[in-house]
Amino acid sequence: MTDNNKNRKPSFGQVVLSTLAAAIGVQSNKNRERDFKGGSIKTYVAAGVIFTTLFVIALILVVKTVLSNMG
């Protein structure tokens, strides 16, 4: 990889994958370095907040569905 590729901003897909990897605690060293060198903290915080919100909403829906099927 050249220096230009190392300092490029991560794409939207790379940010999403990094956020998902962080959520389950698995991330390659190469991707972690890319995120810290080229990424913006605001982008990752926003992605983390969005992911967490969607995760909580999904959990609420699952619990409501299970409870409504129980009677």
Side-chain angles (χ1 to χ4, degrees), residues 19-41:
T19 303
L20 293 175
I24 61 172
V26 179
Q27 179 75 291
S28 71
N29 192 43
K30 180 181 91 170
N31 289 344
R32 184 187 55 79
E33 287 180 11
R34 179 202 64 217
D35 296 342
F36 279 100
K37 288 181 182 178
S40 166
I41 186 71

Side-chain angles (χ1 to χ4, degrees), residues 23-62:
I24 61 172
V26 179
Q27 179 75 291
S28 71
N29 192 43
K30 180 181 91 170
N31 289 344
R32 184 187 55 79
E33 287 180 11
R34 179 202 64 217
D35 296 342
F36 279 100
K37 288 181 182 178
S40 166
I41 186 71
K42 292 177 186 177
T43 304
Y44 287 99
V45 168
V49 168
I50 291 168
F51 173 79
T52 303
T53 303
L54 293 175
F55 181 72
V56 169
I57 290 170
L59 284 178
I60 290 170
L61 291 174
V62 167

